[in-house]
Amino acid sequence: AMHVEIADDFDKRARGLMHRTELADHHGMWFVYAEQRPGYSGFWMHNTKIALDIAYLDEQMRVVKTFTMRPCTSVNSRNCPSYRPGKSYNSALEMPAGYFAKHGIREGVQLQQCENKE
């Protein structure tokens, strides 16, 4: 099971996983939006220090696109590439780079939300 922090407001989504130097195994962040996001709206790695996998999810939590994103070391955020899914999405899941390949998470896979068991 994945353990994710939920980024469900503007500030949490804007900060994301910036400035962190590590993520524990099976830990990540789930970016949740109130409405569908367009495919040209992507994520970037400005001020992000660790490589991440990202999965863009539709309203059924089916993976529409994945990327492995590398840290962007430029001080100018305009020099950081944006990873755009090219398809609309309702949420995005970030995990440590390599996690999706290791666990078979790819386009078309449906994820399930489980209740917090802590």
Side-chain angles (χ1 to χ4, degrees), residues 22-28 96:
E22 61 183 6
L23 270 176
D25 280 350
H26 304 288
H27 282 71

Side-chain angles (χ1 to χ4, degrees), residues 37-117:
R37 304 278 297 159
Y40 59 78
S41 173
F43 279 54
W44 63 356
M45 295 288 283
H46 182 59
N47 287 331
T48 307
K49 301 189 181 319
I50 48 179
L52 297 169
D53 280 352
I54 187 167
Y56 293 95
L57 309 171
D58 67 14
E59 56 197 338
Q60 284 85 40
M61 293 189 66
R62 192 168 291 115
V63 177
V64 298
K65 184 77 176 167
T66 65
F67 293 99
T68 296
M69 306 185 297
R70 302 279 164 221
C72 178
T73 54
S74 176
V75 291
N76 184 344
S77 61
R78 284 191 295 249
N79 294 333
C80 297
S82 182
Y83 297 85
R84 299 181 179 101
K87 298 172 186 163
S88 57
Y89 60 97
N90 291 70
S91 65
L93 175 68
E94 288 183 347
M95 298 295 289
Y99 186 90
F100 293 164
K102 190 173 173 182
H103 296 280
I105 297 170
R106 60 190 174 277
E107 285 180 45
V109 167
Q110 179 133 19
L111 301 180
Q112 290 181 323
Q113 183 178 354
C114 301
E115 294 308 310
N116 189 344
K117 295 186 172 64

